[in-house]
């Protein structure tokens, strides 16, 4: 049973001055607290270890007003009602432990905000448990890394609408702004915010993989050095591919390692790591029956890169190695890659938005996809000029089934066709792996196909497992008696 600490007088009579509190003062939590203070909000700060609290106040007190607290009780005492507590602690058991520490000290209507990368299912569980106690729980996705947390992130809060009514003005104040519009909106009930953040990260995986494949094609397929490729990405960043990820790619490729004098990209081990949100996105998509092949291939590409035992064992396998395009075949290939990158990017985002819509349907969330695109335009890792086009697409048709059929994107995909196919074919001939480009094209051809070979698959399933099938010429479900001589068909 929850103890009403204020009602019992345990914490009564203490000055409550802070508008909001942040507990967990590692890099992200510290920067969120500083962002709030810089915007004129009085911020209570608390950490499991006192030293971090002391260091924040000591180093950044000139940025605004902080109220340091060295116990959960003091932290709660310092907050105005309804109390708003932002948790910036590791996902999982640590989050549950901190929630359990604070809940006995809170009153009805107070708000706990989990701003970590929690799994949306955990957020749904926590929201239900705290709601039963009379407390509001908000699962809040925050994207932009430590720089975004300090200077304006993209913020994706879920949870009760009444909690957003209290919390929203502060979040919108500290979020990134694009054309004066805050990159923050109420996403939907319980786990909606963390679900959307999860898919954001999945799209991020796909986007990064496609960029990496473009780099590999320019280097391995055309023989360009990293600095020359950096110039290509710089040029692309002035056009329709203008984005944070393209911008930083050019900077990474242009960087020289101080110790060796070699290109930085050549001294980094080719083993990409991951924290799990890409896997979550793919797992959720499988549960929902939504194909997110671009995100899946990007996730598996990271797994493959990190499996050194497997890669070492396969070194002797026959295949094309070191081949490059030359002469007429190389002419215009960089432009082809740009076309393939843009087209594949459209597919990856379309798949991600389809997953968000499927999640909303499954879990009863009312999610405005146009608003999601709008808040991703600034602050977050996948921020890009491209998101203006997605926002416009949903403005034109809010119930759009897939972004691929929007007139603007359909036109871009049509214009990319020849280049896209040349890139995928050339990569296969050169032995350069392009799972992102290839799967995006396969998905595109799959959804536009008038008839797929799935008919044969269903026939096979009926043959070995009597799983039945439907016909194109009449209604009903049928089974063929494959083991009999006449193979008679019956309605199931």
């Amino acid at each position: 049973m929850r103890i009403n600490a204020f009602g019992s007088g345990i914490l009564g009579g203490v000055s409550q001055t802070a508008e909001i509190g942040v507990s967990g003062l590692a890099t992200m939590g510290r920067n969120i607290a500083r962002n709030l203070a810089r915007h004129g909000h009085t911020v209570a700060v608390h950490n499991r270890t006192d030293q971090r609290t002391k260091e924040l106040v000591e180093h950044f007190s000139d940025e605004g007003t902080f109220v340091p607290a060295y116990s959960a009780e003091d932290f709660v005492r310092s907050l105005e009602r309804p109390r708003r507590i932002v948790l910036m602690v590791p996902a999982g058991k640590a989050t549950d432990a901190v929630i359990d520490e604070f809940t006995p000290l809170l009153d009805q209507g107070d708000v706990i905000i989990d701003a970590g990368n929690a799994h949306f299912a955990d957020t749904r569980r926590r929201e239900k448990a705290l709601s039963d106690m009379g407390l509001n729980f908000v699962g809040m996705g925050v994207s932009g890394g430590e720089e975004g947390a300090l200077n304006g992130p993209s913020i994706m809060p879920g949870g009760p609408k009444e909690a957003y009514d209290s919390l929203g003005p502060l979040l919108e104040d500290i979020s990134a702004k694009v054309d004066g519009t805050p990159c923050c909106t109420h996403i939907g009930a319980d786990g909606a915010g963390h679900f959307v953040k999860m898919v954001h990260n999945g799209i991020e995986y796909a986007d990064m993989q496609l960029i990496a494949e473009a780099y590999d094609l320019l280097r391995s397929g055309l023989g360009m050095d990293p600095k020359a490729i950096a110039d290509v990405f710089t040029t692309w960043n002035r056009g329709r591919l203008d984005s944070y990820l393209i911008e930083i790619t050019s900077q990474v490729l242009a960087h020289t390692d101080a110790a060796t004098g070699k290109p930085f990209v050549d001294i980094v081990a080719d083993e990409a790591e991951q924290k799990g949100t890409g896997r979550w996105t793919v797992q959720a998509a499988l549960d929902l029956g939504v194909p997110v092949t671009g995100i899946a291939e990007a996730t598996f590409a990271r797994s493959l890169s990190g499996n050194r035992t497997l890669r070492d064992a396969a070194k002797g396998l026959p295949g094309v190695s070191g081949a490059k395009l030359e002469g007429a075949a190389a002419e215009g290939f960089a432009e082809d890659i740009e076309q393939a990158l843009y087209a594949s990017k459209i597919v990856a985002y379309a798949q991600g938005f389809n997953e968000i819509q499927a999640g909303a349907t499954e879990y009863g969330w009312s999610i405005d996809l146009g608003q999601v695109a709008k808040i991703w335009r600034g602050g977050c890792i996948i921020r890009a000029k491209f998101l203006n086009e997605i926002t416009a697409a949903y403005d034109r048709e809010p119930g759009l089934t897939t972004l691929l059929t929007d007139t603007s994107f359909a036109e871009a995909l049509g214009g990319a066709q020849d280049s896209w196919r040349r890139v995928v074919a050339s990569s296969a001939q050169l032995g350069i792996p392009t799972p992102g480009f290839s799967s995006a094209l396969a998905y595109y051809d799959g959804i536009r196909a008038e008839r797929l070979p799935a008919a044969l698959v269903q026939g096979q399933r009926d043959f070995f497992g009597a799983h039945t099938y439907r016909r194109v010429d009449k209604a009903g479900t049928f089974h063929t008696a494959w083991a009999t001589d006449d193979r008679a068909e019956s309605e199931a």
Side-chain angles (χ1 to χ4, degrees), residues 207-226:
D207 214 341
M208 294 172 71
Q209 175 65 23
L210 293 169
I211 291 169
E213 291 178 17
Y215 153 75
D216 200 14
L217 285 164
L218 290 167
R219 189 163 194 189
S220 301
L222 290 178
M224 298 173 66
D225 63 46

Side-chain angles (χ1 to χ4, degrees), residues 163-425:
Y164 190 79
D165 291 340
S166 164
L167 186 64
L170 279 77
L171 300 181
E172 291 174 16
D173 195 22
I174 68 168
S175 72
K177 311 292 188 302
V178 176
D179 299 330
T181 301
C183 292
C184 174
T185 190
H186 181 240
I187 299 294
D190 53 71
H194 275 144
F195 187 92
V196 167
K197 174 56 164 57
M198 174 191 75
V199 175
H200 165 283
N201 285 21
I203 293 172
E204 179 185 308
Y205 274 49
D207 214 341
M208 294 172 71
Q209 175 65 23
L210 293 169
I211 291 169
E213 291 178 17
Y215 153 75
D216 200 14
L217 285 164
L218 290 167
R219 189 163 194 189
S220 301
L222 290 178
M224 298 173 66
D225 63 46
K227 286 199 173 180
I229 300 172
D231 291 340
V232 171
F233 277 96
T234 298
T235 300
W236 287 353
N237 200 48
R238 298 190 189 109
R240 61 183 180 174
L241 286 171
D242 175 6
S243 67
Y244 174 72
L245 285 172
I246 294 288
E247 177 188 349
I248 67 170
T249 297
S250 65
Q251 295 182 34
V252 170
L253 290 172
H255 183 55
T256 299
D257 176 54
T260 64
K262 295 180 179 179
F264 171 77
V265 73
D266 287 347
I267 59 93
V268 177
D270 61 334
E271 300 173 9
E273 298 178 0
Q274 52 188 308
K275 290 189 174 180
T277 46
R279 287 196 301 271
W280 291 351
T281 307
V282 176
Q283 289 164 350
L286 288 170
D287 291 338
L288 294 167
V290 179
V292 291
T293 53
I295 298 170
E297 289 293 355
T299 305
F300 289 134
R302 293 195 187 191
S303 299
L304 177 63
S305 76
N307 194 329
R308 184 56 66 180
T309 300
L310 180 64
R311 292 174 62 192
D312 286 345
K315 280 183 178 177
L317 291 175
V320 181
S321 182
K324 290 181 174 59
L325 293 177
E326 297 178 345
E331 284 292 324
F333 194 61
E335 288 76 14
D336 284 344
I337 295 170
E338 190 272 348
Q339 289 274 17
L341 177 55
Y342 189 70
S344 300
K345 183 184 179 84
I346 294 171
V347 170
Y349 279 69
Q351 291 178 349
F353 276 89
N354 283 351
E355 180 169 1
I356 292 173
Q357 185 56 62
T361 300
E362 176 69 17
Y363 300 112
W365 301 323
S366 179
I367 298 179
D368 185 330
L369 297 182
Q371 285 296 311
V372 171
K374 190 172 289 186
I375 67 170
W376 285 353
R377 295 180 303 162
C380 68
I381 302 301
I382 64 172
R383 61 186 183 266
K385 178 180 179 180
F386 171 80
L387 282 153
N388 288 319
E389 296 296 325
I390 296 180
T391 302
Y394 284 114
D395 283 344
R396 286 189 289 270
E397 188 179 345
L400 193 62
T401 301
T402 172
L403 284 170
L404 305 188
T405 58
D406 173 73
T407 52
S408 175
F409 289 127
E411 182 179 345
L413 291 164
Q417 286 294 296
D418 292 344
S419 293
W420 199 4
R421 297 182 192 283
R422 273 196 298 271
V423 167
V424 171

